[in-house]
Amino acid sequence: YFWKQHGIRNPSQELLFPSSSQVDPHLSLEAMRLQIPRVALARHISEKKLEFIIDQYTEKPFMGVFGQTCVNVLKVNLELDHDSSSHT
């Protein structure tokens, strides 16, 4: 219900369930992109600025082949917190 209320019709598994370790700070780039409108609205920033911040903390596969492209959500949130505190 939450996801549909926020315009996300088909949330990925990683958005619905926590990681097995409960401490993984990464989400796929696709999962992050699904949330851009909701997070930008909640954080009072433009979607373009949020996309730029996400791009800064997007990590490519190790050696270009191992793993998947993912975003360090912790670093994105810290950047958003820093950005909002510098504007108050």
Side-chain angles (χ1 to χ4, degrees), residues 11 17 19 25-26 45 55 63 77:
F17 304 105
S19 68
H26 296 89
I45 64 170
D55 286 345
M63 296 180 68
N77 283 325

Side-chain angles (χ1 to χ4, degrees), residues 1-53:
Y1 178 75
F2 172 83
W3 297 108
K4 287 183 182 180
Q5 192 176 34
H6 288 90
I8 299 173
R9 296 184 337 170
N10 296 311
S12 65
Q13 293 284 331
E14 66 189 312
L15 292 177
L16 298 175
F17 304 105
S19 68
S20 59
S21 68
Q22 303 275 325
V23 294
D24 187 7
H26 296 89
L27 282 176
S28 69
L29 185 55
E30 294 77 22
M32 287 295 291
R33 286 185 176 149
L34 283 173
Q35 299 183 79
I36 287 175
R38 181 182 66 80
V39 174
L41 183 65
R43 292 289 194 142
H44 307 290
I45 64 170
S46 72
E47 290 184 20
K48 282 285 189 204
K49 182 167 187 166
L50 181 55
E51 288 172 8
F52 176 77
I53 292 170

Side-chain angles (χ1 to χ4, degrees), residues 56-84:
Q56 285 182 295
Y57 297 106
T58 297
E59 301 170 2
K60 303 291 183 197
F62 179 68
M63 296 180 68
V65 293
F66 299 106
Q68 66 176 353
T69 300
C70 60
V71 180
N72 188 315
V73 180
L74 174 62
K75 289 182 179 180
V76 169
N77 283 325
L78 289 172
E79 181 70 25
L80 291 169
D81 289 346
H82 178 267
D83 192 53
S84 68

